[in-house]
Amino acid sequence: FFFSSRRRHTRFKCDWSSDVCSSDLTTSIDTGSGVAANAVYISSAAPASGGVLDGIEGKLAVNGEGQDDLLSVDGSGASTSLVGQLTSTHLSGLGMGADDPALGVEYSGVESLTVNLGEAADAFTVLGTCPVTNTTLDALGGADRIAIRSTAGLLTGNAGAGRDRKSTRLNSSHT
């Protein structure tokens, strides 16, 4: 994964094969306080798109502490179907942590969250979104199945090529 801070002009890159990315421990990333925007890109190709997420075997905890923090999770390079789910504080599946729902990415204090699915027929469930986070879900190719169960913040969905199916059963003040 790749961390970029515009405020500090520093970058941290985790070698995809390193112990930090492939251990079963929790790795924490704090973006730092301040007024500048920060970005955390999670993908084997970060910060570019076209990567996969199956190299993450543990849990990543991202704490956005500044203003206008972005968390981008990109599995768009996956050639097989992905299954994942999103809550207001956690993203799991998509090949991370062998799809164990307790692993994946835990997040807080992030103003923008982008999730890119792969090109195959993926299945993704939105169980909730954070009220202060603008969330974007890019389905890309394949006959994806997207289920939206609850939202508390803005959720934007972008369908790609393929015959996507969306089911919505909302318990929300925002749609």
Side-chain angles (χ1 to χ4, degrees):
F1 61 91
F2 183 85
F3 168 69
S4 174
S5 168
R6 292 185 199 125
R7 179 178 55 85
R8 292 182 287 196
H9 302 289
T10 59
R11 292 181 177 187
F12 170 76
K13 184 169 183 174
C14 175
D15 181 356
W16 204 244
S17 62
S18 77
D19 291 338
V20 174
C21 289
S22 62
S23 74
D24 60 358
L25 303 173
T26 297
T27 300
S28 295
I29 303 169
D30 293 324
T31 63
S33 59
V35 295
N38 296 296
V40 177
Y41 298 94
I42 300 173
S43 173
S44 63
S49 61
V52 296
L53 299 166
D54 57 4
I56 299 173
E57 295 180 12
K59 181 188 282 187
L60 295 174
V62 178
N63 183 20
E65 297 177 347
Q67 294 180 356
D68 200 25
D69 292 323
L70 165 70
L71 172 58
S72 176
V73 183
D74 176 56
S76 63
S79 59
T80 59
S81 296
L82 299 174
V83 176
Q85 74 176 25
L86 178 70
T87 72
S88 62
T89 60
H90 194 248
L91 173 66
S92 62
L94 307 179
M96 297 181 290
D99 291 328
D100 181 338
L103 303 177
V105 180
E106 185 176 275
Y107 66 95
S108 65
V110 175
E111 287 76 25
S112 297
L113 170 65
T114 300
V115 180
N116 295 329
L117 302 180
E119 292 291 337
D122 303 314
F124 195 81
T125 303
V126 178
L127 297 174
T129 59
C130 180
V132 298
T133 302
N134 293 328
T135 303
T136 302
L137 177 64
D138 289 319
L140 302 177
D144 302 312
R145 293 177 321 201
I146 309 297
I148 302 169
R149 299 296 174 244
S150 179
T151 63
L154 179 63
L155 173 63
T156 302
N158 298 315
R163 302 189 82 168
D164 297 335
R165 291 186 307 160
K166 179 185 83 167
S167 66
T168 307
R169 187 178 68 224
L170 289 177
N171 177 14
S172 167
S173 58
H174 300 275
T175 57

